[in-house]
């Protein structure tokens, strides 16, 4: 007998599972059945594609037995692919998946939050330790002679020794702790299997003693009975009319490892040139790994009901990576390799049609169920914007789906709504980017737009700055940023030119004073209450963008200087016209620049200098 230690991460995970999931103990049955089903999928695949296994007779099944006398054990057995010694060490003693590691690093220590995360993630085999004093796995790998026994109490390590096994497959025996005793019960097992595992495509049999009673109700004996618990049909293949909302919800929870119902489902049977079924779901909450580069794809591929892969990112465009579900094709060969999958016409067609369907469903949701759509947007607005960046074919639809914040409405606004509300002769759609929502909403750049009652979209999402310039136009209206040097058509005024002419000498003096700090100083046409603001030259990256680029390692980037605009109607600026003291003009010039930076949420370049100049001016004023 060999003794092994668990990898540190396994011990950590075990600790969390046992301590934060106790309210959902029953899911260990779901997890063990799901593993058995995976093993059967792999075995079935072998028998269909590998010559060495084609001749064997294979009737996939899952069997559950329990100790009725003393409630001490529960056993789940499958005749699937099995595990050899190396597999047992690899699969049950370490955490190989990078997803699990990043999951562990996200744990907050708050039991309630963590159990949600675990729910989303799927706890797997180790969940058995919630109800076990000891877990024993006896397994023989398909194509090998030797069987192996793995045993652990889930504390520090595990033991492995040789074992006798008649056929390939795996038998997991859970030695139940006091908390687990309730699961050594016919009704309990039946209830849990129906709840979580009805959709499993292989029959699940429960073995129990059927009691017999005489007329007076006294027990007169029992017969060993085997009963199939699940309907064992691929749910996605069944006609929609046969399925209830409940059926869909339970199926979703099982495949997505979620505790919540999905936000929506979309079930399609396609016939014609291509024959396939798809069943897609959108989770209520965005998957925890939505923004991880190594996210787990959510769509599984089946061919004629045979599971092919759940690790193929190409089944969906990246921006729809939050979609969960199944694609089952009748037209693909069973032994499709990864390379073939990625360049396969059939699959490309299914994918294209599926994306259209899914986006169409989002449009329907926006129209018919605005409240649910808001929930959806709170979670997935950002991936949809990514779509604008990458999915040119569906650009028009995506433009109708994305939402923005606005100066004219609470909550989320669509471009269509904006257009609807526009002034009769308005020439463009205006937006502001480059900071937090609060900063943007209070930006002096908005003043003239507010005064003219022009709506401005508040784009506070980092991704907006990359995506929105790419949009260019919506319904032939240009999308115009208001923090650029060129002023929007709609706020230009005939009087501006005159004022600019009149203020020329002042502007020159400010420019001389500020020197290298600014790219230019101009008379503003967009200010109302504030004395000054900064804007960017048409093609310069914004402050936020510069920050981002630096964070991404572009340290060599030349400093981008702002353009300072001054408000010709503001008393401070007016007073400068007749001021003879160059020192005062210089102090005011610096203060005008620094305050404009401050309201944009940008750092003041030299705080000590700023305070000194301010105090000089204050002393004069007091
Ligand atoms: P997951 O199922 O998400 O991979 P689990 O913790 O449930 O994670 O299982 C870990 C691994 O152990 C599986 O990926 C599989 O390789 C192996 N395994 C578990 N149960 C079985 C089984 N009944 N038959 C074959 N392999 C199994
Ligand atoms: Mg599993």
């Amino acid at each position: 007998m060999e003794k092994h230690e668990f990898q540190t991460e396994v011990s950590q995970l075990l600790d969390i599972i046992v301590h934060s999931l106790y309210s959902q103990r029953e899911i260990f049955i779901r997890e063990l059945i799901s593993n058995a089903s995976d093993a059967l999928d792999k075995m079935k695949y072998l028998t269909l594609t590998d010559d060495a296994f084609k001749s064997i007779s294979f009737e996939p099944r899952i069997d559950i037995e329990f100790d009725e006398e003393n409630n001490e054990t529960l056993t789940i057995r499958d005749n699937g692919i099995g595990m050899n010694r190396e597999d047992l060490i690899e699969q049950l003693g370490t955490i190989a998946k990078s997803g699990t590691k990043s999951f562990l690093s996200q744990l907050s220590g708050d039991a309630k939050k963590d159990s949600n995360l675990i729910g989303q993630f799927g706890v797997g085999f180790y969940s058995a330790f919630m109800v076990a004093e000891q877990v024993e796995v006896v397994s023989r790998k398909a194509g090998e002679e030797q069987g192996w026994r793995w045993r652990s109490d889930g504390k520090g390590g595990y033991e492995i020794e040789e074992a006798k096994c008649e056929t390939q497959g795996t038998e997991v025996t859970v030695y139940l702790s006091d908390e687990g005793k309730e699961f050594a019960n016919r009704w309990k097992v039946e209830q849990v299997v129906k709840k979580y595992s009805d959709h499993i495509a292989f029959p699940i049999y429960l073995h129990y003693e059927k009691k017999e009673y005489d007329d007076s109700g006294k027990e007169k004996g029992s017969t060993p009975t085997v009963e199939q618990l699940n309907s064992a049909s691929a749910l996605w293949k069944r006609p929609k009319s046969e399925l209830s909302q409940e059926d869909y919800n339970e199926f979703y929870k099982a495949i997505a490892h979620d505790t919540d119902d999905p936000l929506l489902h979309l079930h399609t049977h396609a016939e014609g040139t291509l024959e396939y079924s798809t069943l897609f779901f959108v989770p209520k909450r965005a998957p925890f790994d939505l923004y991880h580069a190594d996210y787990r794809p959510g769509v599984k591929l089946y061919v004629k009901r045979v599971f092919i892969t759940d690790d193929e990112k190409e089944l969906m465009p990246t921006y729809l990576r939050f979609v969960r579900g199944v694609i089952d094709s009748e037209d693909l060969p069973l032994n499709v390799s990864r390379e073939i999958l990625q360049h396969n016409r059939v699959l490309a067609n299914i994918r294209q049609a599926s994306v259209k369907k899914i986006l169409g469903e989002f449009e329907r949701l926006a129209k018919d169920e605005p409240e649910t759509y808001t929930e959806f947007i709170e979670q997935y607005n950002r991936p949809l914007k990514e779509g604008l960046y990458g999915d040119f074919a569906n650009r028009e639809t995506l433009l109708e789906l994305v939402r923005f914040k606005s100066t004219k409405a609470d909550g989320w606004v669509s471009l269509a709504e904006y257009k609807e509300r526009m002034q009769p002769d308005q020439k463009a759609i205006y937006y502001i980017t480059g900071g937090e929502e609060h900063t943007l909403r209070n930006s002096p750049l908005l003043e003239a737009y507010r005064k003219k009652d022009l709506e401005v979209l508040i784009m506070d999402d980092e991704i907006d700055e990359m995506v929105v310039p790419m949009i260019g136009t919506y319904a032939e209206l240009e999308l115009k940023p208001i923090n650029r040097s060129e002023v929007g058509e709609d706020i230009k005024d005939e009087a501006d030119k005159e004022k600019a002419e009149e203020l020329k000498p002042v502007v020159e003096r400010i420019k001389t004073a500020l020197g290298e700090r600014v790219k230019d100083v101009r008379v503003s046409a967009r200010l109302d209450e504030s004395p000054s603001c900064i804007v960017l030259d048409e093609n310069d990256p914004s402050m936020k963008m510069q920050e981002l680029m630096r964070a991404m390692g572009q340290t060599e980037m030349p400093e981008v200087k702002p353009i300072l605009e001054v408000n010709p109607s503001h008393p401070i600026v007016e007073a400068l016209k007749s001021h003879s003291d160059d020192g005062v003009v210089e102090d005011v010039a610096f203060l005008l620049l620094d305050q404009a930076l401050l309201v944009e949420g940008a750092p003041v370049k030299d705080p000590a200098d700023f305070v000194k100049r301010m105090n000089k001016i204050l002393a004069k004023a007091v």
Side-chain angles (χ1 to χ4, degrees):
M1 183 148 56
E2 307 168 33
K3 281 189 195 289
H4 296 258
E5 298 268 296
F6 280 126
Q7 184 194 30
T8 334
E9 278 99 347
V10 175
S11 300
Q12 271 174 299
L13 187 62
L14 275 167
D15 199 53
I16 293 153
I17 289 169
V18 174
H19 290 107
S20 53
L21 268 186
Y22 44 81
S23 60
Q24 308 170 40
R25 286 199 187 98
E26 64 189 25
I27 62 160
F28 84 95
I29 295 183
R30 171 188 82 188
E31 294 298 332
L32 295 182
I33 289 178
S34 139
N35 285 350
S37 166
D38 292 347
L40 291 168
D41 273 332
K42 287 178 196 153
M43 188 66 204
K44 186 165 172 191
Y45 183 73
L46 269 190
T47 61
L48 292 168
T49 57
D50 189 325
D51 287 335
F53 295 94
K54 269 187 180 152
S55 57
I56 75 160
S57 81
F58 173 57
E59 279 178 38
R61 58 183 289 155
I62 299 168
D63 289 274
I64 305 179
E65 281 168 25
F66 58 95
D67 159 28
E68 285 186 76
E69 293 271 294
N70 302 312
N71 306 120
E72 274 169 2
T73 61
L74 179 76
T75 301
I76 296 180
R77 185 170 54 241
D78 64 73
N79 55 344
I81 188 98
M83 288 174 277
N84 60 21
R85 181 178 164 278
E86 288 68 43
D87 293 336
L88 286 166
I89 294 172
E90 239 336 85
Q91 326 281 17
L92 304 185
T94 61
I95 294 176
K97 280 172 299 194
S98 56
T100 320
K101 285 191 185 154
S102 61
F103 154 78
L104 278 169
S105 70
Q106 284 197 20
L107 289 172
S108 62
D110 174 343
K112 203 167 161 314
K113 265 199 234 148
D114 289 349
S115 71
N116 270 338
L117 205 56
I118 295 175
Q120 245 191 84
F121 169 79
V123 274
F125 171 77
Y126 301 111
S127 61
F129 288 100
M130 286 192 291
V131 294
E133 262 159 14
Q134 182 167 270
V135 178
E136 188 179 280
V137 180
V138 176
S139 193
R140 190 179 117 189
K141 189 164 184 161
E144 297 185 12
E145 289 303 314
Q146 183 63 57
W148 296 91
R149 175 178 289 107
W150 178 102
R151 197 187 297 128
S152 172
D153 62 2
K155 303 253 155 60
Y158 56 93
E159 299 159 1
I160 293 187
E161 62 186 0
E162 295 187 351
K164 271 214 163 61
C165 300
E166 296 296 319
T167 58
Q168 96 282 340
T170 303
E171 181 175 281
V172 180
T173 302
V174 183
Y175 290 86
L176 297 162
S177 60
D178 286 341
E179 292 85 45
K181 294 251 185 293
E182 59 168 321
F183 295 103
N185 173 291
R186 175 185 163 194
W187 306 110
K188 187 72 191 175
V189 174
E190 187 172 329
Q191 177 218 332
V192 177
V193 171
K194 286 227 156 85
K195 179 166 168 194
Y196 294 109
S197 310
D198 193 50
H199 74 282
I200 293 286
F202 308 102
I204 303 170
Y205 298 104
L206 182 65
H207 299 241
Y208 62 93
E209 291 288 325
K210 192 173 208 153
K211 306 241 164 46
E212 276 133 32
Y213 302 93
D214 62 19
D215 293 342
S216 65
K218 250 177 72 189
E219 200 178 315
K220 67 170 195 206
S222 61
T223 25
T225 309
V226 181
E227 183 186 320
Q228 184 172 339
L229 296 181
N230 63 332
S231 46
S233 72
L235 179 118
W236 59 89
K237 280 288 188 184
R238 287 161 59 185
K240 289 197 245 183
S241 56
E242 264 181 28
L243 296 164
S244 67
Q245 185 63 46
E246 197 54 27
D247 292 331
Y248 286 117
N249 289 353
E250 292 308 329
F251 178 73
Y252 163 75
K253 288 189 218 175
I255 61 156
H257 294 292
D258 200 346
T259 44
D260 280 338
D261 289 338
L263 197 71
L264 60 87
H265 77 260
L266 182 61
H267 193 181
T268 309
H269 297 294
E271 278 161 14
T273 29
L274 285 182
E275 217 176 299
Y276 61 87
S277 298
T278 55
L279 175 53
F280 297 122
F281 298 92
V282 172
K284 263 205 184 103
R285 278 172 299 140
F288 77 91
D289 60 356
L290 187 63
Y291 298 111
H292 295 190
D294 62 349
Y295 70 90
R296 263 184 98 137
V299 175
K300 297 177 206 269
L301 177 67
Y302 284 74
V303 171
K304 303 184 189 78
R305 296 187 194 208
V306 176
F307 171 80
I308 303 296
T309 176
D310 60 0
D311 191 25
E312 180 46 69
K313 292 187 174 168
E314 296 293 315
L315 296 176
M316 277 284 130
T318 318
Y319 73 93
L320 291 179
R321 60 191 176 278
F322 56 86
V323 173
R324 300 287 179 253
V326 170
I327 294 176
D328 191 349
S329 160
E330 297 293 318
D331 305 298
L332 287 169
L334 274 173
N335 52 355
V336 277
S337 70
R338 220 201 175 99
E339 292 66 40
I340 293 180
L341 273 184
Q342 286 173 357
H343 303 106
N344 186 278
R345 289 270 291 281
V346 172
L347 212 54
N349 282 331
I350 295 177
R351 171 176 138 145
Q352 200 182 4
S354 295
V355 171
K356 283 236 158 18
K357 274 256 172 200
I358 291 170
L359 296 183
E361 179 64 14
F362 295 166
E363 280 186 303
R364 188 202 60 76
L365 195 69
K367 207 164 102 240
D368 300 346
E369 299 173 48
E371 275 167 32
T372 316
Y373 193 70
T374 303
E375 268 183 68
F376 170 81
I377 280 296
E378 299 281 351
Q379 300 289 322
Y380 305 113
N381 204 21
R382 200 163 171 178
L384 290 183
K385 289 179 192 163
E386 287 175 33
L388 276 175
Y389 202 78
D391 186 356
F392 205 73
N394 291 299
R395 185 174 167 277
E396 300 300 318
T397 315
L398 285 163
L399 275 177
E400 299 298 340
L401 290 174
V402 291
R403 295 289 181 268
F404 301 101
K405 291 170 188 159
S406 156
T407 53
K408 279 230 178 143
D410 292 329
W412 299 101
V413 170
S414 68
L415 291 172
E417 280 167 71
Y418 182 107
K419 183 163 182 268
E420 188 77 12
R421 264 200 296 265
M422 272 176 23
Q423 307 278 351
D425 50 356
Q426 190 175 330
K427 306 207 173 49
I429 294 174
Y430 296 105
Y431 69 90
I432 180 165
T433 57
E436 311 267 319
E437 179 177 359
H438 179 80
T439 314
L440 294 180
R441 283 195 186 277
N442 290 293
S443 169
L445 299 172
L446 290 172
E447 288 170 4
Y449 294 85
R450 197 174 296 130
K451 203 169 177 190
K452 295 219 161 151
D453 204 26
L454 292 161
E455 180 166 8
V456 178
L457 296 174
I458 306 287
M459 304 215 182
D460 61 339
D461 191 344
E462 267 176 23
I463 194 177
D464 291 332
E465 273 193 57
M466 303 202 242
V467 169
V468 180
M470 298 227 346
I471 299 176
T473 60
Y474 168 81
E476 285 166 31
L477 287 161
E478 196 184 343
L479 270 81
K480 264 192 97 45
I482 66 163
N483 59 350
R484 297 279 157 181
S485 47
E486 196 194 312
V487 177
E489 279 293 305
D490 294 290
I491 58 165
K492 272 190 189 147
D493 205 320
E494 277 311 305
D496 291 346
K497 271 212 184 95
E498 245 168 72
K499 281 188 200 155
E501 201 53 43
E502 198 187 328
L503 218 59
K504 221 171 175 178
V506 177
V507 166
E508 283 307 320
R509 286 168 82 191
I510 296 175
K511 209 151 128 182
T512 314
L514 294 176
E516 287 298 294
R517 287 281 311 273
V518 291
K519 197 164 190 171
D520 198 9
V521 179
R522 293 173 191 169
V523 175
S524 187
R526 61 186 111 208
L527 293 172
D528 183 28
E529 282 163 19
S530 306
S532 63
C533 66
I534 50 169
V535 294
L536 292 162
D537 215 354
E538 284 310 306
N539 297 313
D540 282 348
S542 72
M543 303 273 177
K544 192 86 202 170
M545 198 65 165
Q546 293 171 47
E547 242 174 67
L548 262 165
M549 282 156 82
R550 271 190 210 101
M552 278 158 33
Q554 293 206 22
T555 43
E556 296 290 288
M557 220 172 34
E559 189 194 358
V560 178
K561 289 180 195 152
I563 295 169
L564 178 71
E565 288 194 358
V566 294
N567 180 355
S569 315
H570 196 278
I572 296 181
V573 180
E574 293 216 309
L576 286 181
K577 278 196 259 184
S578 53
H579 220 289
S580 53
D581 186 341
D582 273 341
V584 172
V585 173
E586 185 189 302
D587 288 337
V588 172
F590 273 91
L591 289 173
L592 287 176
L593 173 63
D594 283 341
Q595 62 163 292
L597 284 168
L598 274 174
V599 289
E600 290 297 315
V604 164
K605 201 150 194 193
D606 185 346
D609 180 67
F610 170 70
V611 170
K612 209 165 80 195
R613 291 187 195 276
M614 186 169 68
N615 285 335
K616 253 166 53 191
I617 299 290
L618 280 179
K620 284 210 175 83
V622 173

